[in-house]
Amino acid sequence: ETGVTQTPRHLVMGMTNKKSLKCEQHLGHNAMYWYKQSAKKPLELMFVYSLEERVENNSVPSRFSPECPNSSHLFLHLHTLQPEDSALYLCASSQDRTGGRGGYTFGSGTRLTVV
Amino acid sequence: AQSVTQPDIHITVSEGASLELRCNYSYGATPYLFWYVQSPGQGLQLLLKYFSGDTLVQGIKGFEAEFKRSQSSFNLRKPSVHWSDAAEYFCAVLPNTGKLIFGQGTTLQVKP
């Protein structure tokens, strides 16, 4: 148990489906992140939330829609995805948006397959 | 621009042999430095971190890393590798932007 929990662990969805990924942390952290990890590519930072406010969106397509209702929960809403969106989606949290001396704590990820 | 380079994409070592994974960073000041490990299908687990002080840091699972400012390096070492160490290893730097920057990763294979 890393302190950051992601559900579901695996998700298969069609291109017309709508689904959501959930991330939860009870570490008292104030910043949360979504990363995309594709095969043979570096980790890509998608979104950054600090105190429930989105502070960064790294040119992510609008078919990915994040939501941060409180400092403990982060969602990634998915709709009309493409097969190239298949990847491991990782959630992370940190003490604050500077990263703090603890760095980031990662969840186990959601393996997404778009068919 | 800030960057992290892990020169070795894939390394194979025999069980019981020593291991060194290389990491070089590009940053004007001394950043916070991290090593993470990722087992197949899992998230990233923090092995160790460096902020300041003693340049040799100890981590979990018997790993250690040495910060060398003159070489802008933060290499990861383990004296005797176990089969369970087979995984992907990521070096990362945290500059004052607060955005963690990762290297490409090094895949470690352990031969019996």
Side-chain angles (χ1 to χ4, degrees):
Chain A
E1 179 58 52
T2 67
V4 178
T5 303
Q6 288 188 246
T7 54
R9 291 296 308 275
H10 301 272
L11 177 63
V12 179
M13 60 185 289
M15 289 189 283
T16 59
N17 291 158
K18 289 185 180 181
K19 297 286 184 184
S20 296
L21 310 185
K22 180 182 177 182
C23 176
E24 185 172 356
Q25 60 92 7
H26 295 288
L27 301 169
H29 289 171
N30 291 317
M32 297 186 77
Y33 311 82
W34 279 116
Y35 277 86
K36 177 183 179 182
Q37 187 179 31
S38 304
K40 303 189 188 306
K41 286 186 179 180
L43 282 148
E44 302 172 54
L45 179 63
M46 300 174 72
F47 299 105
V48 179
Y49 274 82
S50 176
L51 296 171
E52 300 145 45
E53 177 185 345
R54 188 191 313 179
V55 296
E56 186 148 345
N57 173 347
N58 275 353
S59 303
V60 179
S62 59
R63 56 185 184 270
F64 295 91
S65 174
E67 178 190 4
C68 188
N70 55 63
S71 61
S72 298
H73 293 86
L74 183 67
F75 295 89
L76 188 62
H77 303 301
L78 316 170
H79 63 98
T80 60
L81 294 191
Q82 304 298 312
E84 60 264 30
D85 296 322
S86 299
L88 181 67
Y89 288 85
L90 292 165
C91 173
S93 69
S94 65
Q95 187 175 352
D96 54 48
R97 66 172 294 195
T98 70
R101 294 173 70 87
Y104 293 12
T105 301
F106 283 84
S108 297
T110 294
R111 172 67 64 187
L112 173 67
T113 304
V114 181
V115 297
Chain B
Q2 300 141 3
S3 65
V4 179
T5 302
Q6 293 179 245
D8 305 304
I9 296 174
H10 193 106
I11 282 185
T12 300
V13 300
S14 298
E15 190 168 17
S18 63
L19 171 70
E20 182 169 33
L21 302 183
R22 296 183 290 163
C23 172
N24 293 95
Y25 68 90
S26 172
Y27 182 58
T30 299
Y32 294 168
L33 296 159
F34 304 84
W35 273 99
Y36 286 88
V37 61
Q38 185 178 32
S39 297
Q42 300 294 315
L44 277 67
Q45 181 183 20
L46 181 65
L47 282 176
L48 47 77
K49 55 193 176 186
Y50 171 80
F51 300 127
S52 64
D54 192 349
T55 56
L56 186 64
V57 293
Q58 302 298 319
I60 62 171
K61 305 184 179 187
F63 285 92
E64 65 178 28
E66 185 172 13
F67 169 61
K68 292 186 177 179
R69 184 191 308 274
S70 61
Q71 298 176 19
S72 296
S73 69
F74 188 56
N75 294 348
L76 182 72
R77 301 194 295 247
K78 186 169 184 178
S80 177
V81 170
H82 187 263
W83 64 267
S84 60
D85 293 323
E88 190 158 17
Y89 292 79
F90 292 93
C91 180
V93 300
L94 185 64
N96 57 10
T97 60
K99 290 196 297 184
L100 201 58
I101 300 171
F102 287 93
Q104 296 269 50
T106 298
T107 300
L108 172 65
Q109 184 177 359
V110 180
K111 292 190 301 184

